[in-house]
Amino acid sequence: IEIYDKSAVALIDSNASIELIGKNFTWSEGPVWIAAKQMLLFSDVPENKIFQWKNGDTTKLYLTPSGYTDTAKRDGENGANGLALDKEGRLLLCQSGNRHVVRLNTALDAPKPDFNILSSNYNGKKFNSPNDLVADSKSNIYFTDPIYGLPKKENDPTRELSFEGVFKISADGKTTLLIDSIPRPNGVALSLDETILFVASSDSEKPKWYAYKLDENKNIVSGGVLLDAAPLRENATVKQGPDGMKIDKYGNIFSSGPDGINIISPEGKRLGLIKI
């Protein structure tokens, strides 16, 4: 763990250590902690599966298929990616293969591939591949839609949107475009008071973390670059772009990115790094 600001010392238990809780996945993504069940869920995107882990137990298959439910063969990233809970504690999924944002219809204790489609298109055009999402206390859902899941990425013949967007699904089910200017929008998170929307761009040429002020209707009123990750990526051993994010109880951002888990203040200062 590297400390760049003394405030980061209080954010991580000094006795904490990295513990391997699962391995041999093709590509693990989208972790979400289910506090009510003391359970971690995460996706294996290429395998079209979700796995679960509980303390003292091994990882187990939780749900399949997770993100692509058709029987026709399809290349690309097919499984669910980002996972989140809504305010009722129901599981929300970004389905990369189906190109939908959905909610699991079954109980968390008895999962089955039974989904309620919350959004499948914008103005009649299919999404690229919904990637990550977060829900607020008023039942709004915010999600990113890069081209990563399309078999031929930006040149895929099935692509219908000409941009990669950040969208909002309101409580009444309406899908609104919030941002269309961020290349490869990926991780997304909300500040503790739900007035700031954070978005990570994993674009290799312009990797950045963004922050946007939301009004009372949860539309963007201002914002822009929070922290430029380009110099961090250039100097990193593991040249990962900004990706998934979680917010700690103090409002700091814990985000995968260059060299591991970057700890960033709400003001955009890099406080520390958990090197992975």
Side-chain angles (χ1 to χ4, degrees):
I1 297 173
E2 295 184 353
I3 303 295
Y4 309 130
D5 185 277
K6 62 182 181 180
S7 64
V9 175
L11 303 181
I12 304 173
D13 188 334
S14 60
N15 296 314
S17 61
I18 298 290
E19 178 185 354
L20 179 66
I21 61 172
K23 60 182 181 179
N24 297 326
F25 305 106
T26 304
W27 169 18
S28 55
E29 259 277 15
V32 62
W33 176 248
I34 315 292
K37 305 293 182 183
Q38 290 294 290
M39 174 175 66
L40 179 76
L41 297 180
F42 61 94
S43 302
D44 190 333
V45 184
E47 300 300 323
N48 205 7
K49 295 175 180 177
I50 294 174
F51 288 87
Q52 72 171 37
W53 173 83
K54 293 184 178 182
N55 192 30
D57 200 357
T58 57
T59 52
K60 291 182 168 64
L61 179 63
Y62 179 78
L63 180 69
T64 188
S66 64
Y68 183 61
T69 54
D70 202 340
T71 55
K73 181 174 173 23
R74 180 185 186 272
D75 295 324
E77 302 167 4
N78 285 332
N81 196 315
L83 308 173
L85 297 179
D86 66 11
K87 69 175 186 177
E88 281 82 31
R90 298 172 297 186
L91 185 66
L92 306 174
L93 307 87
C94 280
Q95 291 189 318
S96 188
N98 285 347
R99 300 160 72 174
H100 297 161
V101 175
V102 303
R103 183 176 63 235
L104 187 69
N105 278 333
T106 61
L108 291 175
D109 287 335
K112 295 179 181 179
D114 180 8
F115 307 105
N116 179 27
I117 299 174
L118 303 178
S119 189
S120 62
N121 66 84
Y122 174 67
N123 287 344
K125 295 185 177 182
K126 284 184 181 179
F127 296 120
N128 298 307
S129 58
N131 184 282
D132 202 6
L133 76 173
V134 64
D136 69 16
S137 60
K138 299 186 184 304
S139 299
N140 298 295
I141 299 168
Y142 310 80
F143 70 96
T144 56
D145 184 44
I147 47 80
Y148 287 131
L150 295 173
K152 295 184 179 179
K153 305 297 190 285
E154 62 266 33
N155 298 316
D156 196 87
T158 68
R159 186 180 183 188
E160 297 186 10
L161 290 174
S162 61
F163 58 87
E164 299 172 289
V166 181
F167 296 89
K168 178 187 72 176
I169 307 170
S170 58
D172 62 5
K174 181 182 178 181
T175 299
T176 305
L177 174 66
L178 297 180
I179 308 167
D180 63 0
S181 58
I182 297 177
R184 309 298 188 264
N186 201 316
V188 63
L190 283 167
S191 61
L192 297 180
D193 63 3
E194 300 182 351
T195 63
I196 304 291
L197 181 70
F198 299 107
V199 181
S201 168
S202 54
D203 181 61
S204 59
E205 300 300 318
K206 299 177 181 178
K208 293 178 172 70
W209 286 278
Y210 295 83
Y212 295 93
K213 180 73 175 176
L214 300 173
D215 63 18
E216 60 182 15
N217 295 317
K218 302 306 178 184
N219 294 313
I220 291 173
V221 292
S222 62
V225 176
L226 178 71
L227 179 61
D228 186 356
L232 308 182
R233 189 179 189 275
E234 184 176 345
N235 296 322
T237 302
V238 181
K239 298 188 183 300
Q240 170 72 25
D243 205 305
M245 295 184 281
K246 301 293 183 188
I247 309 299
D248 74 1
K249 64 182 179 180
Y250 305 109
N252 298 298
I253 301 163
F254 280 61
S255 176
S256 20
D259 270 343
I261 308 301
N262 294 258
I263 306 170
I264 304 165
S265 75
E267 295 74 36
K269 184 176 182 180
R270 196 190 197 200
L271 305 178
L273 172 71
I274 304 171
K275 294 194 77 172
I276 298 182

